[in-house]
Amino acid sequence: MDDELAAALHEDIAGKAEIARRYGVYGPEVAVSADASLFERAWGLAGRDPSWRRQRG
């Protein structure tokens, strides 16, 4: 994801995170490392763990 799109995503999620959590759309904010990308920070704001990977069967 390019920087411009990541910035737009982060701005969008940050603008609605509080109300989205109230209605159960987003989970609690997930802490990310200090050097996390803007995309990873956006994902953390939305209550998703950016380091999560699906386990292969």
Side-chain angles (χ1 to χ4, degrees):
M1 177 177 293
D2 68 38
D3 293 341
E4 187 177 337
L5 184 56
L9 176 67
H10 186 274
E11 183 179 334
D12 183 62
I13 289 174
K16 60 180 146 193
E18 185 179 327
I19 196 160
R21 277 191 199 87
R22 206 174 310 149
Y23 288 99
V25 176
Y26 292 169
E29 185 173 349
V30 174
V32 297
S33 65
D35 63 342
S37 70
L38 198 52
F39 175 77
E40 291 169 324
R41 286 185 275 163
W43 220 225
L45 275 175
R48 290 359 182 226
D49 182 354
S51 65
W52 180 87
R53 300 290 181 264
R54 181 178 6 178
Q55 293 184 0
R56 299 201 176 219

